[in-house]
Amino acid sequence: SQTIHQWPATLVQPVGSPLSLECTVEGTSNPNLYWYRQAAGRGLQLLFYSVGIGQISSEVPQNLSASRPQDRQFILSSKKLLLSDSGFYLCASQVGQNGPQHFGDGTRLSIL
Amino acid sequence: GESVGLHLPTLSVQEGDNSIINCAYSNSASDYFIWYKQESGKGPQFIIDIRSNMDKRQGQRVTVLLNKTVKHLSLQIAATQPGDSAVYFCAENMGGGGYQKVTFGTGTKLQVIP
């Protein structure tokens, strides 16, 4: 079964600083990969998804970007963080079109 | 518009009792439904799923029921244990080519009373 690794687990960054969150997947190949943000007491908001290396689709306009340099690596980035970027960021992996998404344990990002 | 929601934000049950968590969905085109469990500070954990051509599916201590007529989904947990305490949320997949377009509910907090 697949395992999704995210790091760091927690991160405190000042406003205006850059960001790089990494997600790697083990135990599968050619997964669909997703980045979500979860606000407290709210559902998951899809930020980006990728169906293959170098293929990124954005769901909402925002201050963030994503990249997929390798099959099982998905990176969430920002050049300049905003206060509103604070949140819990989750990476998910899904094999094929007919199975569930599996999640990593997330990164708690706090912007000061 | 499409939405996935939960009837009860918090559910308290006695240890050993059965729990039922409900979910309503509004997109009749959704063909795949998933229940997740999320413990504090962790990512959602897949529990069980069901496709639209089924109305019931059972796992270990869990059962998911799908009523397409009223667009209702429920998760039943048998003999609830303290380790079941978490937030549970449902998700519906509206299909699409190449990737899943999934809408997640906001969740129900299950509190198990020892």
Side-chain angles (χ1 to χ4, degrees):
Chain A
S1 62
Q2 56 183 316
T3 304
I4 297 91
H5 300 281
Q6 285 189 250
W7 67 90
T10 59
L11 187 61
V12 180
Q13 292 284 98
V15 170
S17 63
L19 173 74
S20 181
L21 301 182
E22 189 159 345
C23 170
T24 58
V25 181
E26 290 181 0
T28 188
S29 60
N30 197 31
N32 292 332
L33 297 176
Y34 305 80
W35 276 113
Y36 291 92
R37 177 165 53 208
Q38 185 178 35
R42 301 181 68 176
L44 301 178
Q45 178 189 30
L46 179 62
L47 303 176
F48 301 95
Y49 67 89
S50 171
V51 299
I53 296 173
Q55 301 180 61
I56 307 294
S57 296
S58 174
E59 280 294 293
V60 294
Q62 58 203 306
N63 184 42
L64 302 168
S65 62
S67 61
R68 186 170 177 176
Q70 300 180 49
D71 181 46
R72 290 171 290 174
Q73 184 185 28
F74 204 23
I75 298 171
L76 185 68
S77 304
S78 174
K79 293 182 180 179
K80 275 188 172 183
L81 286 167
L82 306 172
L83 283 173
S84 58
D85 291 324
S86 292
F88 190 47
Y89 289 85
L90 289 158
C91 176
S93 172
Q94 178 233 344
V95 177
Q97 298 182 35
N98 298 316
Q101 294 180 27
H102 293 273
F103 289 84
D105 274 339
T107 295
R108 175 75 57 192
L109 176 64
S110 299
I111 310 299
L112 304 179
Chain B
E2 294 106 8
S3 65
V4 174
L6 293 169
H7 297 308
L8 299 173
T10 304
L11 177 65
S12 296
V13 297
Q14 203 72 37
E15 180 179 357
D17 288 351
N18 297 334
S19 303
I20 299 177
I21 301 171
N22 297 301
C23 177
Y25 67 95
S26 58
N27 188 351
S28 57
S30 294
D31 58 2
Y32 177 54
F33 303 88
I34 313 112
W35 278 102
Y36 288 94
K37 171 187 180 183
Q38 187 173 23
E39 296 175 77
S40 181
K42 294 190 174 182
Q45 176 186 2
F46 168 77
I47 301 173
I48 192 168
D49 56 3
I50 189 168
R51 305 201 181 276
S52 58
N53 61 350
M54 303 172 69
D55 54 20
K56 179 179 180 179
R57 191 168 186 217
Q58 288 184 287
Q60 188 176 16
R61 281 201 308 120
V62 295
T63 301
V64 55
L65 299 177
L66 175 63
N67 186 330
K68 294 181 286 293
T69 302
V70 295
K71 298 190 186 70
H72 185 266
L73 193 68
S74 68
L75 176 71
Q76 300 179 3
I77 304 174
T80 312
Q81 303 169 359
D84 294 328
S85 294
V87 174
Y88 291 80
F89 55 90
C90 64
E92 62 174 317
N93 177 35
M94 292 176 278
Y99 80 104
Q100 281 186 344
K101 185 171 178 63
V102 177
T103 299
F104 295 87
T106 54
T108 291
K109 184 176 182 179
L110 177 63
Q111 295 178 324
V112 181
I113 304 166

